[in-house]
């Protein structure tokens, strides 16, 4: 690990000033950053430790029905907050399907948004990687790429975004609160992460020095609480990143779908919301043909970036299954194996 | 540049001067405080051998920078037994053959203590297995580990000794 200067600011303005210097990085729990530093992938010259900043560790239920989650709230604390999990069950299920209990006890909400891809070529300093070293090329193209992107990729980068948490956040219109030298701004989570587009080294829209202070979910997002599920295919039962994941959230009124939300994880360099597929379900009966059609639309633009064509059909099936599970109703408690594709599926889709 | 940090480790205040900010909590425990019960397995947050309790919560000490945990309360495997009397989780790992080579065991036991404290798994073996998924055992003693955690949890609840964790 390259050495660094360590700074522990007392206030947000002090943090922003300290992190505006070239080569500076924010440190919260460090569950991803310290790993990247050990591997030499990240080499910050200065760490700005925000772990002790006051006021960023609260889950606030707002008078308007929305919720504000401080950037330093730990993943486990959010997932196990009863009020939060009751109102946003798919977010809790996504959180509990990610990483391990030890990591969820440490990792923060802001850090989850800031985590970097797990593309093996990004981690391997001997490989070309435009995200790690702009202009060096992409060894994932033509390499071992069965887990890489099938949507939104370019020849410059075919990596995927690893977050589970962010998938329901984009489906539920969450926003990110950002503090910078120029003041505060708010960005939809859906617009926060960047596709490769010429600058794969830039993961997000954050400018130098900008700090995530919180994430907000609007009141209307709780309207899906009765029919919301996250489903995640992994290469082992637990403690693995998604091969493909999907969130499905429905508002069902008088036996018909009033509104649907669908987003995918593990398929692109950002959590992937599919509005056309959502629109196809408006006023539809929640049944297998409607869900299959929505899944078909959701993956209509997908194309393999290598040996990963299977992910397209897998994603269709996971979307269909997530919609089926959501229509059957949110369970009272997050299942023992959160987001598991091994759980039984009700009705006619049991063999999908 | 050197930094002085104070940690409470197994209920004893320890002040350590660091001349390098890169020291992890794991290396500080092992190299500076001679608490070598906490093991270094992968050193990258994937195996759980380094699990300790920080402010009552189980975390991977290999990914925690010591300097950012100034003031924290740390509990390690060395802090569980009371003299010759083993902690109920330690006793249960012996009773149920919850290990073979033993390398992952301190991490398994600290993780189990954390899991029982969190009180999310209950008596459901599937929730216990999922709750222990952050600790790998290359000898694959998982069946014994699950039985040990369930048994210890029941004994601790029965003895009204939740505070023993």
């Amino acid at each position: 690990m390259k050495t660094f200067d360590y700074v522990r600011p007392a206030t947000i303005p002090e943090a922003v000033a300290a992190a505006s210097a070239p080569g500076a990085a924010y440190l919260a729990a460090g569950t991803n950053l310290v790993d990247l530093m050990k591997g030499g992938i990240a080499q910050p010259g200065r760490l700005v430790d925000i772990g002790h900043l006051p006021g960023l560790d609260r889950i606030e239920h707002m008078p308007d029905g929305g919720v504000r989650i401080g950037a330093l709230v730990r993943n486990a604390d959010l997932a196990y907050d009863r009020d939060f999990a009751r109102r946003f069950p798919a977010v809790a299920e996504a959180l509990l399907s990610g990483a391990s209990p030890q990591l969820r006890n440490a990792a923060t909400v802001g850090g989850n948004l800031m985590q970097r891809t797990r593309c093996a070529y990004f981690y391997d300093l001997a490989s070309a990687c435009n995200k790690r070293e702009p202009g060096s090329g992409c060894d994932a193209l033509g390499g071992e790429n069965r887990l890489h992107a099938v949507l939104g990729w370019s020849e410059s980068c075919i990596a995927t975004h690893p977050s589970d948490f962010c998938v329901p956040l984009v489906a539920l219109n969450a926003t990110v609160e950002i503090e910078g030298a120029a003041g505060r701004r708010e960005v939809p989570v859906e617009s926060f992460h960047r596709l490769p587009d010429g600058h794969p080294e830039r993961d997000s829209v954050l400018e130098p020095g900008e700090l995530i202070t919180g994430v907000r979910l609007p009141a209307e997002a709780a309207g899906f609480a009765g029919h919301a599920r996250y489903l995640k295919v992994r290469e082992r039962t637990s403690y693995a990143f998604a091969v493909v994941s999907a969130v499905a959230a429905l508002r069902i009124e008088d036996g018909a779908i009033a509104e649907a939300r669908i987003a995918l994880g593990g398929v692109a360099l950002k959590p992937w919301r599919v509005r056309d597929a959502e629109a196809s379900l408006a006023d539809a009966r929640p049944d297998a043909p409607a869900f299959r059609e929505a899944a078909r639309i959701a993956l209509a633009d997908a194309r393999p970036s290598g040996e990963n064509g299977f992910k397209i059909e897998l994603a269709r099936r996971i979307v269909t299954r997530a919609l089926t599970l959501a229509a059957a109703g949110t369970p009272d408690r997050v299942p023992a194996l959160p987001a598991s594709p091994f759980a039984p599926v009700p009705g006619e889709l049991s063999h999908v | 540049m050197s930094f002085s940090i104070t940690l409470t480790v197994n209920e004893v205040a320890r002040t350590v001067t660091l001349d390098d900010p890169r020291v992890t909590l794991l290396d500080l425990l092992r190299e500076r405080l001679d608490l070598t019960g906490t093991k270094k397995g992968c050193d990258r947050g994937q195996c759980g051998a380094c699990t300790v309790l920080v402010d009552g919560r189980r975390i991977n000490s290999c990914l925690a920078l010591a300097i950012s945990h100034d003031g924290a309360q740390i509990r390690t495997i060395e802090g569980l037994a009371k003299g010759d009397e083993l902690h109920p989780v330690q006793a249960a790992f012996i009773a149920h053959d919850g290990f073979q080579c033993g390398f992952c065991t301190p991490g398994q036991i600290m993780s189990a203590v954390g899991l029982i404290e969190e009180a999310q798994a209950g008596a459901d073996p599937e929730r216990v297995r999922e709750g222990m998924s952050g600790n790998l055992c290359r000898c694959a003693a998982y069946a014994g580990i699950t039985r040990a955690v369930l048994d210890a949890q029941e004994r601790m609840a029965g003895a009204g000794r939740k505070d023993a964790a």
Side-chain angles (χ1 to χ4, degrees):
Chain A
M1 193 190 300
K2 181 171 166 276
T3 196
F4 51 85
D5 293 329
Y6 175 82
V7 186
R8 191 188 299 163
T11 65
I12 290 172
E14 277 180 39
V16 169
S20 297
Y26 287 115
L27 173 73
T31 52
N32 186 213
L33 180 60
V34 172
D35 183 38
L36 291 166
M37 290 167 66
K38 286 185 176 187
I41 300 112
Q43 301 190 347
R46 171 187 284 180
L47 281 192
V48 180
D49 185 352
I50 55 169
H52 301 260
L53 287 181
L56 297 182
D57 59 353
R58 291 197 294 266
I59 304 165
E60 298 167 80
H61 294 273
M62 312 302 281
D64 70 357
V67 62
R68 180 184 179 279
I69 311 155
L72 293 178
V73 171
R74 311 287 170 168
N75 286 0
D77 289 338
L78 185 58
Y80 290 131
D81 183 279
R82 280 188 177 209
D83 283 345
F84 181 83
R86 183 177 52 76
R87 300 184 65 220
F88 309 102
V91 181
E93 186 164 21
L95 281 166
L96 293 175
S97 77
S100 69
Q102 288 94 320
L103 289 167
R104 294 194 296 268
N105 274 346
T108 63
V109 159
N112 189 296
L113 269 69
M114 294 301 292
Q115 69 180 307
R116 310 210 66 193
T117 183
R118 265 51 172 206
C119 174
Y121 298 94
F122 174 69
Y123 267 76
D124 175 23
L125 297 181
S127 295
C129 172
N130 288 320
K131 190 176 259 308
R132 175 168 34 78
E133 196 180 333
S136 64
C138 172
D139 277 349
L141 269 178
E144 298 263 335
N145 52 25
R146 52 186 296 281
L147 299 178
H148 284 72
V150 293
L151 283 159
W153 55 272
S154 81
E155 299 280 312
S156 68
C157 182
I158 62 170
T160 59
H161 192 260
S163 172
D164 295 300
F165 178 49
C166 291
V167 179
L169 289 185
V170 301
L172 296 173
N173 287 340
T175 55
V176 191
E177 283 180 9
I178 298 165
E179 292 271 357
R184 171 178 289 210
R185 65 185 179 123
E186 207 163 333
V187 174
V189 176
E190 193 181 1
S191 318
F192 180 78
H193 298 102
R194 292 183 72 263
L195 289 175
D197 296 334
H199 286 284
E201 74 279 9
R202 290 191 60 197
D203 288 357
S204 76
V205 299
L206 284 186
E207 299 294 334
E210 282 192 318
L211 175 68
I212 296 174
T213 53
V215 169
R216 284 177 185 269
L217 276 160
E220 50 105 12
F224 297 91
H227 297 277
R229 292 301 300 274
Y230 184 69
L231 196 56
K232 174 182 177 185
V233 176
R234 288 152 270 194
E235 291 200 309
R236 57 184 182 189
T237 305
S238 185
Y239 196 8
F241 291 99
V243 178
V244 168
S245 70
V247 65
L250 303 170
R251 275 199 303 112
I252 298 179
E253 290 172 5
D254 302 326
I257 298 170
E259 191 178 0
R261 300 283 177 82
I262 309 168
L264 291 141
V267 295
L269 200 47
K270 59 187 287 184
W272 196 264
R273 184 157 171 194
V274 284
R275 291 171 191 276
D276 289 352
E278 293 172 2
S280 79
L281 289 172
D283 303 323
R285 280 181 42 76
D287 59 18
F291 293 157
R292 286 203 184 96
E293 175 61 7
R296 187 192 65 77
I297 296 168
L299 276 299
D301 294 334
R303 61 193 173 100
S305 58
E307 303 294 320
N308 56 0
F310 78 97
K311 286 180 67 166
I312 298 170
E313 178 58 20
L314 181 62
R316 285 192 199 102
R317 294 184 187 209
I318 288 303
V319 168
T320 306
R321 188 179 280 230
L323 285 163
T324 307
L325 288 166
T330 306
D332 291 338
R333 188 180 176 197
V334 175
L337 278 178
S340 175
F342 302 126
V345 179
E348 60 199 296
L349 283 167
S350 54
H351 297 291
V352 166
Chain B
M1 192 157 54
S2 76
F3 315 85
S4 179
I5 63 168
T6 299
L7 303 167
T8 304
V9 182
N10 299 328
E11 299 175 6
V12 178
R14 308 289 293 260
T15 298
V16 181
T17 301
L18 301 174
D19 54 10
D20 190 323
R22 292 175 289 185
V23 178
T24 61
L25 182 56
L26 171 63
D27 285 341
L28 180 135
L29 290 169
R30 290 180 56 85
E31 309 291 336
R32 299 294 300 276
L33 300 180
D34 291 329
L35 294 168
T36 54
T38 306
K39 299 305 180 202
K40 183 184 277 196
C42 69
D43 205 28
R44 302 293 286 269
Q46 297 178 11
C47 77
C50 67
T51 302
V52 299
L53 302 188
V54 173
D55 297 328
R57 305 157 64 98
R58 50 181 169 154
I59 69 161
N60 302 111
S61 61
C62 71
L63 291 180
L65 291 180
I67 195 169
S68 66
H69 287 79
D70 193 7
Q73 305 265 340
I74 316 290
R75 194 155 191 207
T76 72
I77 189 75
E78 290 90 345
L80 288 189
K82 290 182 175 145
D84 289 337
E85 185 195 344
L86 294 180
H87 185 280
V89 176
Q90 291 175 305
F93 267 68
I94 294 170
H96 294 278
D97 279 337
F99 54 90
Q100 185 174 318
C101 84
F103 185 85
C104 72
T105 310
Q108 299 278 0
I109 288 176
M110 294 315 295
S111 190
V113 171
L115 173 138
I116 292 168
E117 185 77 9
E118 287 159 18
Q120 295 291 340
D124 179 348
E126 199 172 17
R127 285 185 191 270
V128 168
R129 281 194 290 273
E130 169 66 13
M132 293 295 290
S133 61
N135 294 81
L136 306 189
C137 172
R138 289 199 67 181
C139 307
Y142 296 111
I145 291 168
T146 305
R147 283 196 298 272
V149 176
L150 286 164
D151 185 28
Q153 180 173 249
E154 197 179 321
R155 283 168 193 271
M156 288 164 71
R161 286 187 54 183
K162 277 191 176 166
D163 58 342

